[in-house]
Amino acid sequence: MEFKINSKSFDKLLSKVIPAVPTRTPMAVLENFLFEIKDGLLTVQATDLEISLKSSQNVAADSNAKMVVQAKLLHDIVRSLPDIQLSISTDSNSRLKLKTDKGVYHISYFSPEDFPEIPVVARDKEIVIASDDLKRAFDKTSFAMSKEDMRPAMTGTLLEFAKDGLRFVATDGHRLVKYVNKSILTDYTEQYIIPERAISVLSKLLSDGDVKIYLSKTHASFITGDIEFITRLIGEKYPAYNSVIPLENENLLTVDRSELLSTVKRMLIFSSGTSKQVKFSISANNLEISAENIDTGSNAVENVQCEYSGEAMDIGFNTAYVNDILSHLDSEKVIFKLHSPTKACIIEPDKTSENEEVMMLLMPVRLNN
């Protein structure tokens, strides 16, 4: 077998697939690429058994072949080369030979029989979404996923097909984010949970154009450009998140988002290392924000102008969580919908585009007396 390929083109192909190669694994075979040349199409695949990546490129090859090649070694060699033509062939000693006009490099290859089979997701049900829209949805929600393994469903992001659009939901029990893309309408209601690692890798792969999504009970496939990304789904039932969203938060606080975010970042410096508590003292036209660190004897107080309709209220939040939520909103102003110091607070942008809906929920913390 022999084929020729430009080094930079080859590097680009390998770079798309290598995120699925595990850095540490008890299964040595997973540290390899699966190479297949069939009818002039070179397909490179990799998997860590949780996620899989596949990409292809047309090459002028003299025969078909299938083999397993050391991923990191091959990738390191190819990306170190200048922009030149590469001739790649196999020899009788089970070695892959990379030849340039100045050098020759040999890498052992192995039989593909022990390489795990990449899952195939049926394509009978297709969802098409713009890459930018999918990335935006993940960016808005994924920060709220749980880091605790006690409830596996909450360690991923929920994709829920509903009548009002495609919903993306993430929660860790202390905060919850629901983002709805209203342009994706379906005539069915289904739920799928995408693991955190899959979202992290996929977000970096998304570029221009559309993404085609295919889903089964166990796996999801995302096709963008010439890359196919496959992930195992979390096979758990997602919590009934709608039941924790309050319906009667009648006290409305409207405040400049960037000013509040700037203040909260300063409060992070002063909030106690254990509780990370920030206190909001809300009155008609003023929001007093304060934090203290009992251990160091330090404290801070700032006042921010606001609009507020409701009874004056003191309410406590985790400062880091408020910072996260404000950092993931991009409107000029935000609205806090409050009921009491012990009930969940809803935080929303004052304006959104007609094709989206954003709702962030934050549980308060008990104030230190």
Side-chain angles (χ1 to χ4, degrees):
M1 183 279 300
E2 182 177 7
F3 68 92
K4 291 179 171 58
I5 190 169
N6 174 268
S7 61
K8 293 305 174 188
S9 178
F10 197 28
D11 176 31
K12 192 175 179 182
L13 176 64
L14 300 180
S15 295
K16 292 172 183 174
V17 179
I18 203 161
V21 177
T23 50
R24 290 182 182 178
T25 173
M27 293 180 63
V29 71
L30 299 180
E31 296 174 353
N32 298 280
F33 288 130
L34 177 64
F35 266 41
E36 182 173 15
I37 295 178
K38 189 173 183 181
D39 302 330
L41 186 69
L42 168 63
T43 301
V44 183
Q45 304 178 60
T47 185
D48 64 4
L49 301 182
E50 297 294 316
I51 65 168
S52 306
L53 276 163
K54 182 193 301 185
S55 191
S56 302
Q57 183 173 330
N58 289 308
V59 294
D62 61 1
S63 62
N64 294 343
K66 194 172 184 179
M67 67 193 74
V68 166
V69 184
Q70 298 167 69
K72 187 176 185 305
L73 178 58
L74 178 63
H75 186 234
D76 285 349
I77 291 170
V78 172
R79 69 177 175 178
S80 72
L81 293 171
D83 190 351
I84 54 173
Q85 187 79 351
L86 263 177
S87 174
I88 300 176
S89 60
T90 54
D91 65 20
S92 56
N93 297 317
S94 294
R95 293 188 307 176
L96 201 64
K97 182 170 78 172
L98 285 69
K99 185 178 179 182
T100 70
D101 56 356
K102 292 184 178 179
V104 178
Y105 315 91
H106 289 96
I107 303 174
S108 296
Y109 69 85
F110 312 95
S111 167
E113 60 187 26
D114 293 329
F115 197 85
E117 193 167 329
I118 304 291
V120 176
V121 181
R123 299 187 178 183
D124 51 345
K125 193 181 293 182
E126 179 181 275
I127 300 99
V128 180
I129 183 170
S131 292
D132 288 345
D133 289 347
L134 184 59
K135 185 170 174 52
R136 179 172 173 80
F138 286 151
D139 288 345
K140 292 286 178 203
T141 54
S142 60
F143 74 93
M145 290 184 291
S146 176
K147 305 293 188 290
E148 304 291 332
D149 292 331
M150 293 290 288
R151 300 184 71 180
M154 290 163 59
T155 64
T157 292
L158 174 71
L159 265 65
E160 182 177 33
F161 295 89
K163 290 182 179 179
D164 59 342
L166 177 54
R167 300 177 185 174
F168 297 77
V169 180
T171 183
D172 61 5
H174 303 288
R175 54 198 172 164
L176 181 147
V177 182
K178 182 177 78 168
Y179 176 91
V180 185
N181 183 315
K182 296 180 180 179
S183 63
I184 307 292
L185 298 173
T186 57
D187 56 2
Y188 52 85
T189 303
E190 291 177 355
Q191 292 189 344
Y192 303 89
I193 307 173
I194 311 294
E196 185 277 333
R197 171 159 156 70
I199 290 169
S200 175
V201 173
L202 179 58
S203 294
K204 293 170 186 169
L205 294 172
L206 294 173
S207 54
D208 298 331
D210 290 337
V211 181
K212 294 178 180 177
I213 305 174
Y214 305 96
L215 298 147
S216 72
K217 289 183 178 180
T218 57
H219 290 83
S221 166
F222 299 81
I223 297 178
T224 172
D226 58 0
I227 307 169
E228 181 176 9
F229 175 86
I230 301 164
T231 178
R232 178 190 60 81
L233 297 172
I234 296 176
E236 301 276 336
K237 186 169 178 60
Y238 204 76
Y241 66 89
N242 276 315
S243 64
V244 302
I245 300 174
L247 300 175
E248 297 180 348
N249 281 21
E250 68 282 3
N251 301 314
L252 303 182
L253 166 69
T254 305
V255 61
D256 182 275
R257 185 191 68 86
S258 60
E259 185 181 359
L260 180 57
L261 177 58
S262 177
T263 300
V264 167
K265 286 185 183 296
R266 286 187 287 278
M267 294 301 143
L268 268 173
I269 301 168
F270 288 89
S271 56
S272 169
T274 49
S275 67
K276 288 189 171 61
Q277 184 185 105
V278 64
K279 178 181 176 183
F280 281 23
S281 298
I282 313 165
S283 56
N285 295 307
N286 186 68
L287 170 60
E288 182 185 278
I289 304 166
S290 58
E292 67 174 328
N293 189 323
I294 299 170
D295 297 333
T296 61
S298 57
N299 65 76
V301 180
E302 283 194 35
N303 289 279
V304 175
Q305 191 174 4
C306 69
E307 296 172 24
Y308 180 60
S309 59
E311 295 290 320
M313 186 187 305
D314 289 346
I315 187 169
F317 295 113
N318 179 303
T319 320
Y321 291 168
V322 179
N323 180 69
D324 280 347
I325 284 175
L326 294 174
S327 297
H328 287 86
L329 292 169
D330 46 25
S331 58
E332 184 177 334
K333 293 186 177 183
V334 290
I335 301 169
F336 286 69
K337 297 181 177 179
L338 303 146
H339 178 70
S340 72
T342 59
K343 300 294 184 182
C345 164
I346 290 175
I347 306 169
E348 296 176 339
D350 68 329
K351 293 177 182 176
T352 58
S353 73
E354 61 180 352
N355 283 327
E356 71 175 15
E357 178 188 314
V358 185
M359 187 228 64
M360 303 200 178
L361 178 148
L362 183 58
M363 297 301 296
V365 297
R366 189 179 297 275
L367 287 166
N368 296 327
N369 293 323

